[in-house]
Amino acid sequence: SDHEVAWIWVWDNVVRFLQAELDKPARFGRALGAMFAELAAKGDIPRGNTLMYQNFFEMSPAGQEYFKQSTERLNFIMNKVTGMTMELYAQSEELLFSLGSLGLRHVGYGVSPDLFGPFVCAAIKTATMLDFHPEALEAFRWSLSLISRILIRVVTEGSTMVMRAINANNAKQLRKA
């Protein structure tokens, strides 16, 4: 029947699409690992971290309120972020569990989900400035965007009335919650 033909056509297209994409995670993981190794060999990682925060603070001045730490600590944070982008390709299930707890820590710090977008844009802009290879840039963009979407969801869902009252340091709101 026409219905069966259409259904077979749909699934044939899905199979063809998925087969074309199956090698991407492995390729992306290798490209990203090679790019970060190249940056480390050239000594560009600290400069890249500094550029990233400069770009982020230009895009979102409110972000400075959450990053009042030493340069060493900021480098540590950015190195963890870039590590997560590579970990997504190697150990995605383990990363998902750690992202849940990281997101809840962001809730505890009162971080707005609105800051994740500019952070990702700043990181991608920095990667472009550091002349990432096209495939490494695509891998970085895809993994960092996915990580930020997961964190945004955790922060949004974890921002209960109780957490908002605690972050506001408001006893009246806390009793109400």
Side-chain angles (χ1 to χ4, degrees), residues 104-171:
L104 291 176
R105 275 182 279 172
H106 280 75
V107 171
Y109 294 133
V111 176
S112 169
D114 298 337
L115 293 175
F116 287 95
F119 189 89
V120 170
C121 289
I124 292 167
K125 178 180 179 182
T126 303
T128 304
M129 293 167 72
L130 293 172
D131 294 325
F132 268 38
H133 302 294
E135 189 166 57
L137 183 60
E138 185 181 351
F140 186 63
R141 177 183 294 122
W142 184 84
S143 59
L144 193 56
S145 296
L146 179 59
I147 289 167
S148 74
R149 285 191 301 267
I150 292 168
L151 288 173
I152 288 169
R153 183 169 183 180
V154 171
V155 168
T156 302
E157 291 179 2
S159 294
T160 62
M161 289 177 64
V162 171
M163 286 303 295
R164 286 192 294 269
I166 290 170
N167 287 336
N169 197 20
N170 189 319

Side-chain angles (χ1 to χ4, degrees), residues 2-3 12-14 17 36 46-47 57 61 90-91 107 122 125 129-130 132 147 149 159-160:
D2 289 341
H3 178 74
D12 284 345
N13 283 323
V14 167
F17 174 77
F36 286 129
R47 182 175 72 87
F57 296 148
Q91 300 162 334
V107 171
K125 178 180 179 182
M129 293 167 72
L130 293 172
F132 268 38
I147 289 167
R149 285 191 301 267
S159 294
T160 62

Side-chain angles (χ1 to χ4, degrees), residues 55-74:
N55 290 330
F56 175 59
F57 296 148
E58 283 175 17
M59 291 179 186
S60 181
Q64 293 180 52
E65 295 300 315
Y66 299 97
F67 287 103
K68 293 180 179 178
Q69 289 113 357
S70 67
T71 302
E72 186 176 320
R73 181 68 180 162
L74 294 176

